[in-house]
Amino acid sequence: MCLGIPGKVIELRDDGAVLMGKVDFGGIRKEACLAYTPEVQLGDYVIVHVGFAISKVDEEEALKTLDVLAQMGDVVSQELETMGPGMAEPAVLNDDGTPASGALTGGAEAGA
Amino acid sequence: MKYLDEYRDPELAKSLLAEIHRITTRPWTLMEVCGGQTHTIVKQGLDEALPEGVRMIHGPGCPVCVTPLEQIDKALAIAARPNVIFTSYGDMLRVPGTDTDLLALKARGADVRIVYNPLDALKIAKDNPDKEVVFFAVGFETTAPANAMAIAQAKAQGIDNYSVVVSHVLVPPAMTSLLDSPTNQVQSFLAAGHVCAVMGWTEYEPIAEKYRVPIVVTGFEPLDLLEGMLMAIRQLEEGRHEVENQYARAVKREGVPLAQKQIFDVFEIGDRTWRGVGEIPQSGYHLRPEYAAYDAETKFEVGDIHTLEHPACIAGQILTGEKLPLDCTAYGTLCSPQHPLGAPMVSAEGTCAAFHSANRGLDARRVTV
């Protein structure tokens, strides 16, 4: 029920009662109520939950998070080489670094 | 899909896990509040990849699971009435009541319909003026803005044949209830990202301060969860107890004020019983008196409900994280997603269903039973 998915606003429509629109989720287009995010423009991304946009995705913050993770990756790869015994390879990954069976292929399907 | 795929990168996940291993010096117990997060953690095996001694306890954030049996039995009694079209989010349909569930009622001829958006239920009411359309308004703070909007619109548009069975629950009181328990083991929370998207995180600041627990507002993708865990463990290791926001692309400190305004125009906070947990003070939304005409419980006078849980089900202890599905004798034997005894096996957000779909412990059960 708490499925919240990011999608791109491709249509805005004020039908008199509430602000509605169409949101594209990777090719699947759905009606959504945009009344709580009236600032959205065409092309913005929103997180849609039970047919309502509950948040506008902040592109700058999204990129910042990925940047921080990527930078940490560089530091960590140096660290990894110095790791001693007992620091087991994470079980979620195979020896060659690829995801183990079922790992990191799906992601959240729901969320409160 | 944009804003999803980049947060599933296996290489970055590996880096995050390595960093968690690097900074962890002691055993810690964390709880992810939301069932959607539980699902990703279990499906991806993130909990099994953590350093030895770092434990994830799966929290009560499954709205379907905590909807009290009495509300489900009331919904079933209303749905069984001849002139009623009963509408609900899809995942409530198979939740067992005392004697039956909504899907079984539907099979026996009741008019039960799944809606994705509560405004669709309102449209059904508009299109069927000679019927009573009832919507099962369940959920956490995430669904409240949608459910509140449908009720406000019913009033604004004069749609009198629309009413709701309300069973709304709130995250912060559930967290303090867990922390107040003498058996509490939780040392830090990953707060539910979408609840915080709506409500912001100011409510969590006094909790972090009073109980000295780090709280990290966390998203739902594997990298979000790993980063949330890393931030929580870093705070624990450094002796800090703050509210931090991992899910900055979707959550602002103040939340979405327009959504909050709509919620509090329609609902007020009151006590609420959580299935398997019991009553938690000030932990739910109820209709405000000016919306009493939209309360299906009074409209249909469903009194005299006698509830009875299945004796084998330990849903309450699962919801509070005291026990795991593998501790339950019915898990994978008497109880499965096809024949659920309790709600945590029904919902995609339920811990039992998450374990079952990840096939955890099922082979052993099949051998021994």
Side-chain angles (χ1 to χ4, degrees), chain A residues 44-101:
Chain A
D44 283 346
Y45 277 74
V46 288
I47 290 178
V48 176
H49 168 74
V50 296
F52 280 67
I54 53 164
S55 174
K56 177 174 174 288
V57 178
D58 185 325
E59 177 128 36
E60 204 176 303
E61 288 290 353
L63 294 174
K64 213 191 287 174
T65 300
L66 288 172
D67 263 3
V68 169
L69 292 179
Q71 281 169 23
M72 200 191 60
D74 296 340
V75 177
V76 168
S77 53
Q78 293 161 18
E79 281 283 333
L80 279 169
E81 291 167 19
T82 62
M83 276 204 307
M87 201 64 88
E89 191 71 10
V92 74
L93 300 163
N94 292 325
D95 290 345
D96 59 0
T98 57
S101 162

Side-chain angles (χ1 to χ4, degrees), chain B residues 56-128:
Chain B
M56 295 305 299
I57 298 188
H58 313 303
C62 164
V64 170
C65 304
V66 301
T67 300
L69 190 51
E70 191 180 357
Q71 291 305 95
I72 295 189
D73 284 351
K74 281 180 187 170
L76 289 163
I78 293 169
R81 295 169 79 109
N83 201 39
V84 165
I85 300 174
F86 195 89
T87 57
S88 168
Y89 297 123
D91 42 6
M92 289 305 290
L93 257 62
R94 297 192 61 237
V95 177
T98 297
D99 298 317
T100 185
D101 59 49
L102 284 166
L103 198 64
L105 272 187
K106 185 178 165 69
R108 277 185 254 143
D111 195 344
V112 176
R113 303 185 194 180
I114 294 174
V115 291
Y116 170 63
N117 176 334
L119 292 177
D120 294 339
L122 192 62
K123 186 167 184 306
I124 294 172
K126 223 173 179 174
D127 295 344
N128 295 273

